[in-house]
Amino acid sequence: MPPDFLEDHAVAAWTASGAPLVDLLRQAHTPGRLTGFRRGGRAAVLVAEPRHVHQVLGVGGERYVKRSHRARPLLGDGMITATGEAWQSQRKLLQAMFTGRGIQRWEHHIEGAAARVVERWAERARLGEPTDIAEDVQFFTVDTIWRSLTDRPLDRETYVDLAAVQDIVAALPADVGGTAALPPAVEAAIAALDERMLRALADARVRHRAEGHGPGPVPTSGPSVLDRLLDAADTDPAYTDRLIRDELVTLLVAGYESSARTLTWAFVLLDAHPDVMERAAGDGSGVEAVLCETLRLYPTGWLLPRHSPADQTLDGWAIPAGTDLLVCPYLTHRDPEVWPEPEVFDPGRFPARSPLPPGAYLPFGIGPRACLGTRFAMREMEVLLGALLGRFTVETTGPASEAVFGVNLRPAGPLHARVRERT
Ligand code: HEM
């Protein structure tokens, strides 16, 4: 049976309105059915039911492919955009640094970067000046990932080049199949970022040789991600300077944007729920639940597109070759069958009392392409949120942030707040 497609006139009306893609997905969404729409001769189906999500990303992870056209101008051939054997070997190389005990090596970077934000807030509190939470948490997440990539703390000048990534990401087409033509200012920001990365690479190569690394077997542990990539380059010709640049930019973009936006969303939600904020501040034990619930309501990876190169059947529905499958964690996470009163922010839902249906909760994706940095991200967010809530009270002073559904789901604008030391 073919999926239900929206009438062409409904799609044309949506196009004419200039509304974001999420509005079209909401229109198409019909619980219990597989629904979609056609645009410019291309068919796309919405994948929001947990069992469909599980099949497309989990068990069907090999059949439905990732094309990532949208981010390629920025990420090149790094791990997010790579496919097939290239992806497999890239993932294998870095996996151990980010899973299991591997992340313990980043603990001192995370603690160091969190201490800088705590100091900054203490200064703001002393002077009675407001701060921009969105900016502060972004500095933190850029700092943690930069230290992990290069083993160097972040200076302001480097931060400015790296943080320009957010303008680049915002300029990427949010829509699947969007073109890669970017405004000149964005091309220039990508060039500045490239220069910064290639300079970091050249510096690291000099240090790397001086420290006695060289051709030989790839060690199973190393001080930084860049060292690991340089070791790989000694034995594997696939690791050209270009690919190392792509991998660094990929880890930078993946590693700071989502964590920064999630922390900002957490403060937006906590500000609206002071009782939850006080409980989480108490002994810090509720911080993880606050983050899990924040990621349920605002999964920064709100849309995970896949493509079907061959004819497939999904839960009895016929998926012809060439169809885009728009997995949408944002809609899945608001399924009332799984989450009673889905719009309500309630960290008490976590940890879940009974196992959730497969595919029902996926802020970090599922299946072979699930997030490499899940453990790193959760740890860094818990450390910072715990440290800030434990020491300061927070009261925002600006209007509530609107959600922007771009390549990722981010809060619009800054988040100005007054912070005070707890007495
Ligand atoms: C709150 C923070 C984060 C969120 C919500 C998040 C979310 C995601 C999601 C949903 C995916 C899967 C995309 C897909 O299936 O199409 C993904 C992939 C990925 N993430 Fe994260 N991420 C976060 C933090 C991080 C961090 C800190 C790092 C790096 C240290 C990272 C590195 C990656 C990489 C490399 C991939 C691609 C994996 C692959 O294709 O094999 N992420 N992330």
Side-chain angles (χ1 to χ4, degrees):
M1 161 178 51
D4 300 333
F5 284 97
L6 279 182
E7 300 283 346
D8 287 349
H9 68 81
V11 181
W14 168 80
T15 310
S17 74
L21 179 64
V22 69
D23 286 4
L24 186 65
L25 299 182
R26 282 195 186 106
Q27 260 188 64
H29 192 201
T30 319
R33 304 198 59 85
L34 195 68
T35 52
F37 45 87
R38 292 195 181 85
R39 282 180 307 162
R42 287 165 69 105
V45 294
L46 166 66
V47 180
E49 294 278 323
R51 67 178 190 285
H52 294 164
V53 171
H54 176 60
Q55 284 185 26
V56 172
L57 295 186
V59 291
E62 308 289 323
R63 268 174 281 148
Y64 301 105
V65 299
K66 210 169 162 177
R67 296 209 299 187
S68 300
H69 294 311
R70 304 177 298 165
R72 196 172 288 281
L74 174 63
L75 304 182
D77 296 324
M79 201 189 307
I80 289 184
T81 45
T83 52
E85 282 177 19
W87 163 74
Q88 248 169 22
S89 79
Q90 283 168 245
R91 175 121 189 172
K92 202 168 148 215
L93 182 73
L94 297 182
Q95 181 112 329
M97 295 185 111
F98 288 97
T99 46
R101 287 186 321 174
I103 67 151
Q104 285 171 8
R105 79 183 69 212
W106 312 126
E107 194 66 21
H108 66 292
H109 289 326
I110 293 174
E111 300 282 350
R116 273 169 101 170
V117 185
V118 170
E119 255 170 55
R120 183 177 155 76
W121 278 29
E123 172 84 353
R124 299 275 115 188
R126 198 170 53 75
L127 298 172
E129 287 175 1
T131 195
D132 175 2
I133 294 180
E135 177 70 24
D136 295 339
V137 298
Q138 175 170 291
F139 189 90
F140 166 75
T141 60
V142 178
D143 198 6
T144 55
I145 195 69
W146 185 248
R147 288 175 195 234
S148 312
L149 293 178
T150 65
D151 210 26
R152 293 277 176 278
L154 184 66
D155 59 70
R156 275 275 152 198
E157 197 198 329
T158 309
Y159 173 67
V160 171
D161 281 350
L162 301 185
V165 162
Q166 66 182 314
D167 303 324
I168 303 171
V169 171
L172 293 174
D175 203 348
V176 180
T179 65
L182 297 172
V186 173
E187 298 279 7
I190 294 182
L193 183 70
D194 282 0
E195 206 190 305
R196 171 72 58 193
M197 287 301 173
L198 292 173
R199 214 178 319 148
L201 174 54
D203 288 353
R205 183 162 273 140
V206 171
R207 278 203 316 274
H208 194 73
R209 297 256 183 261
E211 284 162 16
H213 298 254
V218 177
T220 49
S221 69
S224 74
V225 173
L226 191 40
D227 277 316
R228 171 64 57 89
L229 293 168
L230 287 170
D231 280 335
D234 285 335
T235 54
D236 182 349
Y239 280 90
T240 57
D241 280 7
R242 189 69 208 173
L243 182 60
I244 296 179
R245 172 270 174 215
D246 290 350
E247 208 67 290
L248 289 178
V249 172
T250 294
L251 289 168
L252 171 75
V253 173
Y256 96 82
E257 267 276 316
S258 297
S259 313
R261 305 306 164 237
T262 304
L263 282 165
T264 308
W265 280 124
F267 277 105
V268 169
L269 290 164
L270 288 171
D271 188 58
H273 299 85
D275 50 324
V276 180
M277 172 129 65
E278 284 316 297
R279 274 203 303 277
D283 61 0
S285 59
V287 168
E288 185 179 351
V290 165
L291 290 166
C292 291
E293 177 68 343
T294 301
L295 283 162
R296 182 184 70 80
L297 282 170
Y298 296 106
T300 57
W302 71 279
L303 187 69
L304 308 176
R306 293 295 188 270
H307 185 77
S308 183
D311 290 346
Q312 299 289 352
T313 308
L314 174 59
D315 196 26
W317 304 89
I319 307 288
T323 305
D324 290 323
L325 293 105
L326 306 182
V327 179
C328 187
Y330 178 79
L331 292 176
T332 305
H333 289 181
R334 289 166 189 248
D335 180 344
E337 294 281 313
V338 183
W339 311 100
E341 296 191 85
E343 308 293 326
V344 174
F345 173 65
D346 174 14
R349 301 179 202 266
F350 293 95
R353 273 168 283 283
S354 48
L356 292 167
Y361 182 68
L362 66 156
F364 293 101
I366 51 172
R369 304 298 300 243
C371 181
L372 177 81
T374 306
R375 300 276 306 270
F376 182 98
M378 286 306 289
R379 182 69 195 144
E380 66 172 339
M381 295 191 299
E382 267 174 62
V383 167
L384 184 69
L385 194 57
L388 293 177
L389 292 180
R391 180 151 166 191
F392 303 96
T393 59
V394 186
E395 199 186 315
T396 63
T397 54
S401 295
E402 295 283 318
V404 180
F405 293 83
V407 165
N408 57 29
L409 172 55
R410 62 193 151 85
L415 183 63
H416 294 296
R418 235 166 240 299
V419 294
R420 294 187 182 84
E421 296 267 2
R422 288 184 182 277
T423 43

